[in-house]
């Protein structure tokens, strides 16, 4: 079972208040309903979501609903559950801000989503009918909502950004995809859905991956520093070699000679390590910057 299915199964059994149920149903019908003259139909691949939609409509409007789970998604080969509503069609579509005075609405009136809890309920309905979240074990973090109507997609995007989820909208084939990429924002969205078990699963894996990535970055940084020291040491040894070949080494300044002799004696040492060695063995304190200055002077001597 997918991570998305686990989330939908978890949140499908949570009970909410009347206004939240209306907002959730409004989102589901707005995005998922096919509307005909005498009925509307809702398809979903998740049986838990189908049962929730069935219960919400049944309990709110006290009507009979047909349910058929014999359908197959021709693209994914998954089973489809079909809900058919034939009673109180006009009332339901009007109540849920889907059709008003014969006009199809693609974003609900404000009264359905005027409070934060109702906005959250609307987004919960959006996720149930068209949302998905990648399993955090995969290589990338991604949450998306595939919506056929541009106005609806922009409305969902505005709700998400109102709650600081940093979502965006792009056109994809004939649909619009609203998506969230940041791992922390996806975590916050799962928390908003009240999918607590799924949230714990997501966070455990995210913490593990972040720790692993940090360890890799530190290892890479350490290796880069080692490579830098080796390159610098090779350059310094090459300077010393040229200095010996072109100058009378014995006549050089004692400070320059000391640096050369100790670098040849400890060729793999960094400048900080070399400073510590010279200070210890000669009892003449010297700093890393001082050694760096003397190598710059050797460069000038060789020009």
């Amino acid at each position: 079972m997918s991570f998305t299915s686990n989330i939908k199964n978890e949140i499908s059994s949570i009970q909410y208040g009347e206004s939240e149920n209306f907002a959730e149903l409004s989102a589901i019908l707005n995005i998922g309903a096919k509307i005909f003259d005498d009925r509307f139909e809702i398809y979903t691949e998740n049986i838990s979501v189908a049962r929730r939609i069935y219960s919400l409509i049944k309990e709110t409007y006290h009507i009979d609903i047909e349910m058929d789970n014999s359908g197959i998604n021709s693209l994914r080969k998954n089973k489809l559950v079909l809900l058919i509503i034939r009673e109180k069609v006009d009332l339901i579509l009007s109540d849920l801000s889907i059709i008003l005075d014969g006009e199809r609405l693609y974003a609900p009136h404000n009264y359905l989503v005027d409070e934060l809890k109702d906005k959250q309920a609307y987004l919960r309905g959006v996720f149930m009918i068209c949302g998905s979240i990648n399993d955090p074990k995969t290589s990338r973090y991604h949450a998306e909502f595939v919506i056929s109507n541009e106005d609806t997609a922009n409305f969902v995007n505005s709700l998400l950004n109102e709650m600081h989820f940093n979502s965006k909208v792009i056109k994809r084939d004939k649909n619009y995809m609203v998506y969230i990429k940041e791992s922390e924002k996806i975590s916050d969205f799962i928390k908003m859905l009240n999918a607590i078990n799924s949230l714990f699963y997501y966070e455990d894996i995210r913490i593990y991956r972040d720790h692993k990535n940090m360890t890799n970055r530190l290892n890479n940084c350490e290796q880069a520093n080692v490579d830098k020291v080796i390159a610098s040491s090779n350059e310094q040894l090459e300077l010393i070699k040229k200095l010996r070949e072109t100058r009378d080494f014995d006549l050089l300044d004692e400070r320059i000679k000391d640096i050369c002799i100790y670098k040849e004696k400890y060729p793999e040492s960094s400048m900080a390590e070399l400073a510590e060695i010279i200070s210890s063995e000669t009892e003449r304190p010297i700093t890393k910057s001082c050694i760096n200055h003397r190598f710059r002077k050797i460069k000038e001597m060789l020009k």
Side-chain angles (χ1 to χ4, degrees), residues 260-274:
C260 295
I261 291 168
Y262 274 98
K263 183 60 185 178
E264 290 174 322
K265 187 177 179 182
Y266 302 99
E268 297 180 358
S269 61
S270 65
M271 282 193 281
E273 292 167 340
L274 194 61

Side-chain angles (χ1 to χ4, degrees), residues 7-8 123-133 145 189 193:
I7 297 175
K8 291 182 179 181
L123 290 175
R124 185 167 58 249
V126 172
F127 178 76
M128 284 190 182
I129 201 65
C130 71
S132 65
I133 298 176
F145 314 86
F189 183 78
L193 293 174

Side-chain angles (χ1 to χ4, degrees), residues 220-238 263 266-275 277 288 292 295:
N220 291 338
C221 183
E222 184 177 344
Q223 184 59 48
N225 287 336
V226 170
D227 293 343
K228 185 178 178 181
V229 168
I230 292 172
S232 178
S233 292
N234 289 339
E235 181 185 3
Q236 292 163 1
L237 291 169
E238 188 63 28
K263 183 60 185 178
Y266 302 99
E268 297 180 358
S269 61
S270 65
M271 282 193 281
E273 292 167 340
L274 194 61
I277 291 168
K288 172 185 171 181
N292 190 39
F295 273 112

Side-chain angles (χ1 to χ4, degrees), residues 98-124:
I98 308 300
I99 292 180
L100 183 64
D101 297 328
E103 181 183 354
R104 178 72 164 89
L105 305 179
Y106 291 98
H109 281 296
N110 288 335
Y111 71 85
L112 273 174
V113 288
D114 57 349
E115 295 186 32
L116 176 60
K117 63 178 183 176
D118 299 326
K119 291 180 172 71
Q120 293 172 336
Y122 194 92
L123 290 175
R124 185 167 58 249

Side-chain angles (χ1 to χ4, degrees), residues 30-78:
N30 185 11
I31 295 170
K34 291 184 178 181
I35 302 172
F36 302 92
D37 291 338
D38 60 344
R39 71 190 188 282
F40 64 86
E41 301 174 353
I42 306 169
Y43 286 90
T44 176
E45 295 179 359
N46 188 294
I47 187 64
S48 295
V49 172
R51 290 194 186 108
R52 181 175 184 84
I53 298 169
Y54 182 99
S55 297
L56 288 177
I57 296 176
K58 182 84 171 176
E59 292 170 7
T60 304
Y61 294 100
H62 310 289
I63 60 173
D64 291 326
I65 303 168
E66 299 173 36
M67 181 182 284
D68 180 4
N69 63 355
S70 62
I72 299 291
N73 185 322
S74 59
L75 292 177
R76 303 187 203 177
K77 305 304 180 184
N78 293 337

Side-chain angles (χ1 to χ4, degrees), residues 136-274:
K137 287 181 179 178
T138 62
S139 59
R140 60 194 178 97
Y141 298 104
H142 184 79
E144 69 176 37
F145 314 86
V146 180
I147 300 170
S148 61
N149 180 267
E150 183 177 10
D151 290 339
T152 302
N154 288 330
F155 176 74
V156 170
N157 188 54
S158 69
L159 278 186
L160 288 166
N161 282 313
E162 185 179 333
M163 293 182 221
H164 311 290
F165 288 117
N166 296 349
S167 63
K168 295 181 181 179
V169 183
I170 61 170
K171 183 85 163 60
R172 188 170 75 178
D173 298 327
K174 296 180 180 180
N175 297 313
Y176 295 85
M177 183 176 74
V178 184
Y179 66 93
I180 306 170
K181 298 292 287 184
E182 299 171 48
S183 63
E184 289 186 10
K185 299 302 181 181
I186 296 172
S187 176
D188 291 341
F189 183 78
I190 298 171
K191 182 179 179 181
M192 187 212 73
L193 293 174
N194 287 326
I196 304 305
N197 292 330
S198 298
L199 177 64
F200 286 155
Y201 170 84
Y202 182 91
E203 281 298 303
D204 283 346
I205 294 174
R206 189 168 77 94
I207 291 169
Y208 168 77
R209 286 184 61 189
D210 288 349
H211 176 74
K212 184 178 179 181
N213 290 338
M214 177 63 74
T215 301
N216 289 338
R217 284 195 292 271
L218 291 174
N219 289 338
N220 291 338
C221 183
E222 184 177 344
Q223 184 59 48
N225 287 336
V226 170
D227 293 343
K228 185 178 178 181
V229 168
I230 292 172
S232 178
S233 292
N234 289 339
E235 181 185 3
Q236 292 163 1
L237 291 169
E238 188 63 28
L239 287 173
I240 295 169
K241 180 182 177 182
K242 290 180 180 179
L243 186 65
R244 286 187 178 277
E245 290 172 351
T246 59
R247 299 296 179 94
D248 189 336
F249 191 77
D250 291 334
L251 297 178
L252 294 176
D253 183 285
E254 290 296 325
R255 292 172 297 180
I256 297 294
K257 287 167 62 177
D258 282 348
I259 294 298
C260 295
I261 291 168
Y262 274 98
K263 183 60 185 178
E264 290 174 322
K265 187 177 179 182
Y266 302 99
E268 297 180 358
S269 61
S270 65
M271 282 193 281
E273 292 167 340
L274 194 61

